[in-house]
Each structure stands twice: as structure tokens, then as C-alpha cells.
Amino acid sequence: MVNVRSMIALYAGKFSKQVLKLINSSGTALPGKLALRIDNNFLDNIEEKCDTVIMVTGTNGKTTTNNLLNHVIGTRTDKILSNLKGANMIQGIATTYVNNTKDHYDYGIFEVDEGTLRSVTRYVKPDYILVSNFFRDQLDRFGEIDNLVEDVYTTIEKLPESTLILNVDDPLVNKFTQLPNKIIKFGLDLDLDEVQNSSLSMKNCPLCEGKLQYSSHVYGHFGNYECDKCGFKRPNPDFVVSNLEEKASSQMITIDYGDEELVFEYPYTGIYNAYNVLGVFTVCKQLGLSDDEIVSAMGDFSFHLGRMEEMEYKGKIIKVILTKNPIGLTQVINMISNDERSKTVVHILNDNPADGEDISWIWDAYTICEREETVLHYYCSGIRAEDIALKKKYDNVPLDKIKINDNFKEIIDTAIEDDVEIVYVLPTYTAVFETRDYIENVVKSN
Amino acid sequence: MELNIYHLYPEHLNLYGDLGNVNCLKRRCLERGIEVNVVNFTDDEKPDLNDGDIFFIGGGSDRAQQLVYKDFLQYKDVLKELIEEGRAVLAVCGGYQLLGTSFIDKQGNNIPGLSILDYESKYTGDKRIIGNIIIETTLNLEPNKLVGFENHGARTYSKYQPLGNVLVGRGNNDDDMKEGIVYKNYIGTYLHGPVLPKNPHLADHLILQALRNKYGDVESLEPLDDEIENKAYEKFIKLYGK
């Protein structure tokens, strides 16, 4: 069905994209915003064009999961429509459609901001929704995590046809198993016994006022829990990681499902990536991909867009990792702690609206690396450079290792000349693109 | 010298990095050779409140605050007496609301507070107040500004001395440009940040009052190396001050 208003909206969007290109701006939201202004049902087109629609939502891991899903499913078909660059608000998703070039897509794969799921699913009904986790993230935008979970829950209540792929290690996600939808559960049967930071863990049952007792613990509020009052507990997952071996630059994972047990290795680290891998594996099995297809595709996935991206400069590695909330930052610091190489760590902390204007979240993270002797410097930069430096001080980092400069270019110029094997650069959301682009330029011009 | 810092319900009231306030008090005592015991007052453990020299209570989700309300009802008279006596208390955001006569739940209904002090927080139908805030404090502090981040739905109305007059931001409500309250050595405020690491002069004020309560005439506190603290404070005022 050709809808004239929708066509005009599409071409207006495309035109604005050309203009943006001329003025050398990447603008991921504007073309979509314009199209939605002209035709507020513009997103209806997506459902019409895509056979199968998958949405990924939750606090952490959306962009990585989306990119990994694209990569694995991409071995089967090139007809995929997706917002790979992390523009996950309604305008960003509309822009994805503005940019589309094909008449038909086998898959539409979208990461959708938790606060945006309601408005997007008004137009596009997903066949699958992967809910990864709920952590404190930019509370100044959402108010409170309870409200956010409630909002996603009541949104999905209106989508009874969608199959839910749920990380049941998170009690807040497990709550969604109460819905009548078809449900596939995934989780990690691991006890990592890390120090439990009280502010990162949730101890109350999401259904009643009872307390959650953990028999094992992965990180944050992930683990094997049971409510001492109503009996709400983590169910046995359909897809489960039964073993995980962390290596210097890879992980060896064991996934059990049905009667199958599968062991394979992929070149990325960090426990949170085991969740991303398992989530993607679970989705791909629903789509009918074979174990071999999934495993071989996962082995050659490379991160980009500042999510674990690596670049080389004068024989050392520069690794850019987005860190935007306490659990993410803590997990990245854990990963860096496992790295025995000599290193320098660069924090770039911004407080623009998209980062969350309230930077108090850094106080809920641990920022000190173990193997302190392998860290040469902690550089603190970004608009709120001094604040991350203050947190470092409170985490008992030796003061002579802390260097403050709010100009991120100057600090990167200095940091990459440090005599170390690896430079970790940890920008917040609004810093990630310009940081990686700046480093790429420096690396290339060398 | 030795101080007992009581942290009320850290398992429930732990939003916005406010644990940093307790760390700050502890750190600034230890650096001066003052011994510190951080004592958690929780659902399961109820140490004697009379032994506390400084009390901290933070904010949590609506659900968490209601749990704390129920659990603390039977202890409220003890805390009330201690406040009257002049013990040092810092209550932030949800904790601040909780000690007053009323606050609000998720749906915006007014629900009773612990009524330890006579101020009320209520729902007005207006949008949540969210943003950076700078106040000029009524306490005799040097410097005389306090900086932080406010994030609250309810509006608070009180006849007490405010903690400060709002220079940037909103404060207690939409009407009087006042922020927080001061009653004897009780300080209630909406300032997150966390407020004490960002405003070490306010942390030292609480420590000094607590020491005076316990040990009589303590003149002043030994100055500390606050180079990074001062840089963060000055940066805030440069970015968000008028």
C-alpha cells in the first residue's frame, strides 16, 4: 500500500540526510525526526517491510547484542534493517528506515531504549523481545528504576504475540515470566563470589516486600536468588552457561540447552559479554540457526563504535570502552583488573543530557584496579574531569597517579605516549564517538 | 577521639551514590587521626541509637522508603530526642522527606512521615524537579556556597531555618527559593552529588559539631589536602553558576 504522506516523509528524511552529509554531520536522529513530523505513523512502514522483527531492550549491552545479532544472522542474509549505531530512541529508529534501500527485509533488528519501547511498539509489533537487564542508569531521566521496569512491563502486556527472551539472572527481568507470552529464559549458572557492593545489589523481591536470598552470585543483582516471603525465585533457564573460562583476550564458554552441550571460544572478555553472547545464541536458536553457524560467526566478530574497540599505536593497544553507568564501569574495571599487562587508564566523564546530567552514578561504582602496580596513570578528563578524579581519590588511588585535564584531546595525546602495553580509554556516551574518531585520526596520521 | 557514624538502612536507602557521604565523613575523620566506627542500622540489626555521634539517612525508591517507614516507627522517638539534644544528623532527599510529617508515594498520594520534625513534603501535580543546584548556605561556612544535584517529585514546605537560599536550581518547592532545613544540628537537604565529598566544608561542619557534643570545646579541625575537592567545587560553580 502506497501512502502518500509516508512517501513524502521518507523523501524529506532522505533529503535532510543529504544536507547533513554536505555539512559533514552524521546526525542519526534528525532525518527520522523530520519524517515523523510529517507522518507520525511513519514507523508502520517497518513492520510492513520486515518479515521478522527482533527488539533488544534493557539497560546494558543493547548495542553490543544488536551488533552481534546482526553479525551472526548476517551470515544467512544481507536483508537486515537495523539501527547498528546505537540510535535507539524513536527518531533514531525512524532514521534507520529513512536510510533503508531495499524493498523487503528478512529481519528488522533494533535496539530500543527502555523508555522508548512503549512508543515504538505502538507502530512496530516485534516477534521477539530480548530483555537483558535493568540497572540504575540515568535516573534523572527516568525517575526511578521501579517506574522504568513497570513501564516496560505494562508495554509488553500489550504485546501478547511477542516471544520474550529473558535474562532470568536479573530478578527485575524474571518478573516478566509472569506474563502470558511465550517465554525463553537464559542465565549463567556461575558463582563468581565477587565482593557484593550493597548499592549495586537489589535485595528486595520485585513482587512482594520479601528479601531475596542469593545462593550464588554473578555480579550486581544477578545470581540464583529466592524470595524468603513469596517464593519468587530464579527459574531454571532454557539456555544456560554452565562454565566460563576467562582468558587474556578471549572466553571459553559452555552453553547447555535441551540435551545439548556446546563449548566454544570467542575473542572478547568481560562477564557481561557472556550475557550478550548467551542472549544472541538464544535468539538465533529461535530463528533456526545451527550451532555451527552461530559459533563460527561469533568467533570472527569484532567490536566497533567504541564498544571494546581496539586500535594500535606505536606497538601498544588502545582500547576504547563505553562506560555509562555504575555496573558497566565496575565490570569494565574488573576486566581491566584481570589484565596483567602494564597499562594506563583514561576516564572521560561528560554530563550532557544523553550521559545523564547527574554524575553521582560514579559513586556507585568501584574504580580502582587490582594489580595497582601495573597501572601507570589514571587520566581524568571530560566536562566533569575533576569529579571522576575525586572519586579516584576516594577509591584510594595514589594521588600521584591521577592526572586531571578537561580537554580530552590533550589528555589522549599524553596518555597514548605512556610507556605501557595497553591504554584503556573509558568515555561516557556523548564522549565515545568523538574520542574514538580522535584516536583513529591520531593512529592513522602516525 | 572517636566517632560513631550511624548509617540508617543502607540496604534500602542507597540511591544516587549517597553512600559517598558516609565514606566522606569517615575519611575526613581518619585523616585527622579521629577513630571512626561506621555502624549500619538495618532491618536485621538494631544497634543502640544513643551511641551514634553522626547519623546519615539517604533516599531510596518509593517502595524502599515505605519499608523503612514501617520498620523505623518504633525508633522514631529515640531519634527525635537525640535531635533535640543536638546530635549531628544529615538526611538527604527521601530520608529528608521521611523525617517530616508527610511525603508521597509513586502515585502521588500523600502518606504519613515519621513526624520527627514539623515540615511536610507533598504532591503538587507539578513536574519532578531535576537539575544542578547551587545554594548560599545559612550556616557559617567558608566558602558559603553548597553545590549538588536535586531530583525530587514532592515539594517540601517548612518554617525552619533553610539550609540555604537557592542561587541556581529550585530547592524545597516552587515558591520560596529555599533549600533544605537546619534544626539544631539536624540538616535535611535535597542535595545529591553526593553532597559531602563535593562540599567538604559541610562534612567538616558535621564532624566538628559531633566532636563538640562528645568532647566539649573543640576549637576547629585540622585542614586537609582538598586540592581535588576544591577543583571539583570550583568547576561546578564555573559550569553552572550564574
Side-chain angles (χ1 to χ4, degrees), chain B residues 2-6 26 35-39 214:
Chain B
E2 183 176 12
L3 291 177
N4 296 324
I5 300 174
Y6 270 49
K26 181 177 169 186
E35 283 183 47
V36 171
N37 306 303
V38 174
V39 180
K214 202 167 184 177

Side-chain angles (χ1 to χ4, degrees), chain A residues 128-132 163-167 184 186 279 282-283 286:
Chain A
Y128 298 93
I129 307 174
L130 186 153
V131 186
S132 59
T163 296
L164 307 183
I165 316 271
L166 304 177
N167 168 16
I184 315 287
F186 68 93
T282 306
V283 172
Q286 309 314 307

Side-chain angles (χ1 to χ4, degrees), chain A residues 147 205 351 383 387 406, chain B residues 63 106 130 198 225 235 240:
Chain A
N147 299 353
C205 174
D351 65 352
I383 298 168
D387 280 278
D406 56 12
Chain B
R63 191 178 52 161
K106 193 157 46 178
I130 300 173
K198 296 247 171 110
D225 171 10
K235 179 64 156 301
Y240 301 110

Side-chain angles (χ1 to χ4, degrees), chain B residues 41-111:
Chain B
F41 187 96
T42 68
D43 272 353
D44 303 325
E45 285 177 59
K46 301 285 194 300
D48 188 354
L49 290 170
N50 287 292
D51 293 338
D53 299 305
I54 304 180
F55 296 83
F56 173 72
I57 180 163
S61 66
D62 294 312
R63 191 178 52 161
Q65 280 172 211
Q66 292 186 38
L67 292 176
V68 169
Y69 168 77
K70 282 184 203 156
D71 195 70
F72 198 68
L73 260 183
Q74 54 177 316
Y75 299 93
K76 68 168 192 171
D77 291 337
V78 185
L79 185 60
K80 186 172 181 168
E81 223 166 89
L82 293 171
I83 289 172
E84 286 296 339
E85 228 177 65
R87 295 287 170 101
V89 180
L90 175 66
V92 174
C93 198
Y96 169 38
Q97 295 174 353
L98 200 58
L99 266 62
T101 54
S102 74
F103 64 112
I104 61 174
D105 69 9
K106 193 157 46 178
Q107 285 76 36
N109 302 312
N110 290 313
I111 51 177

Side-chain angles (χ1 to χ4, degrees), chain B residues 43 124 131 148 188 208:
Chain B
D43 272 353
T124 61
L208 189 60

Side-chain angles (χ1 to χ4, degrees), chain A residues 58-349:
Chain A
T59 312
N60 282 349
K62 290 186 292 286
T63 302
T64 300
T65 300
N66 186 22
N67 278 270
L68 188 55
L69 268 173
N70 266 272
H71 178 74
V72 177
I73 298 172
T75 58
R76 272 213 164 166
T77 173
D78 60 355
K79 290 181 181 161
I80 302 176
L81 184 66
S82 187
N83 56 340
L84 286 174
K85 285 184 179 169
N88 58 23
M89 312 291 257
I90 192 160
Q91 299 93 338
I93 293 165
T95 299
T96 303
Y97 184 75
V98 169
N99 294 345
N100 91 86
T101 50
K102 296 189 168 72
D103 295 334
H104 159 264
Y105 292 90
D106 293 331
Y107 296 96
I109 310 176
F110 305 99
E111 67 160 282
V112 184
D113 176 86
E114 312 87 274
T116 300
L117 190 68
R118 182 178 297 278
S119 46
V120 172
T121 54
R122 207 169 283 152
Y123 306 101
V124 189
K125 309 288 179 208
D127 298 281
Y128 298 93
I129 307 174
L130 186 153
V131 186
S132 59
N133 50 61
F134 292 102
F135 285 109
R136 189 191 157 199
D137 182 22
Q138 302 179 15
L139 282 189
D140 49 334
R141 184 155 60 89
F142 291 121
E144 287 176 0
I145 190 165
D146 289 352
N147 299 353
L148 175 67
V149 174
E150 196 56 31
D151 189 48
V152 175
Y153 193 89
T154 53
T155 298
I156 296 182
E157 269 182 331
K158 299 198 185 81
L159 303 166
E161 302 295 323
S162 302
T163 296
L164 307 183
I165 316 271
L166 304 177
N167 168 16
V168 291
D169 286 0
D170 183 340
L172 295 170
V173 176
N174 184 15
K175 182 184 164 172
F176 290 68
T177 57
Q178 312 275 317
L179 289 164
N181 298 52
K182 181 179 179 196
I183 283 163
I184 315 287
K185 306 175 289 270
F186 68 93
L188 271 52
D189 266 348
L190 300 177
D191 191 0
L192 300 178
D193 207 25
E194 282 170 29
V195 186
Q196 237 173 313
N197 178 338
S198 67
S199 62
L200 291 179
S201 3
M202 197 200 47
K203 289 176 182 141
N204 281 93
C205 174
L207 301 185
C208 74
E209 292 182 359
K211 250 185 223 137
L212 295 179
Q213 307 291 344
Y214 282 78
S215 59
S216 66
H217 178 238
V218 183
Y219 68 81
H221 54 262
F222 292 178
N224 198 337
Y225 47 83
E226 180 163 1
C227 172
D228 64 2
K229 205 166 159 190
C230 75
F232 173 78
K233 64 175 182 179
R234 182 226 192 216
N236 283 329
D238 303 302
F239 289 79
V240 64
V241 170
S242 59
N243 194 33
L244 186 72
E245 200 182 317
E246 284 267 12
K247 301 183 175 180
S249 57
S250 68
Q251 281 176 339
M252 182 80 89
I253 197 170
T254 307
I255 297 179
D256 296 351
Y257 69 97
D259 296 327
E260 305 287 328
E261 180 175 282
L262 195 65
V263 184
F264 61 98
E265 193 169 350
Y266 48 82
Y268 16 110
T269 56
I271 302 298
Y272 50 93
N273 275 319
Y275 279 103
N276 295 333
V277 163
L278 180 62
V280 169
F281 186 88
T282 306
V283 172
C284 289
K285 291 309 289 183
Q286 309 314 307
L287 304 177
L289 275 77
S290 74
D291 292 354
D292 286 349
E293 279 177 291
I294 302 171
V295 169
S296 74
M298 288 209 177
D300 64 14
F301 175 69
S302 60
F303 283 94
H304 53 286
L305 302 169
R307 268 90 174 168
M308 309 284 286
E309 184 172 5
E310 290 191 0
M311 291 180 257
E312 262 187 58
Y313 176 76
K314 292 187 181 170
K316 70 192 104 184
I317 294 168
I318 302 171
K319 194 161 180 166
V320 183
I321 311 175
L322 170 72
T323 53
K324 60 186 175 113
N325 51 28
I327 193 74
L329 178 55
T330 303
Q331 286 302 308
V332 167
I333 294 289
N334 278 347
M335 187 198 73
I336 295 173
S337 291
N338 286 331
D339 186 342
E340 294 176 9
R341 289 172 286 187
S342 62
K343 61 189 82 80
T344 257
V345 178
V346 184
H347 287 275
I348 304 175
L349 176 65

Side-chain angles (χ1 to χ4, degrees), chain A residues 367-380:
Chain A
T367 72
I368 187 159
C369 299
E370 286 166 40
R371 301 182 220 275
E372 184 58 44
E373 70 287 355
T374 64
V375 184
L376 186 61
H377 289 120
Y378 289 97
Y379 292 97
C380 301

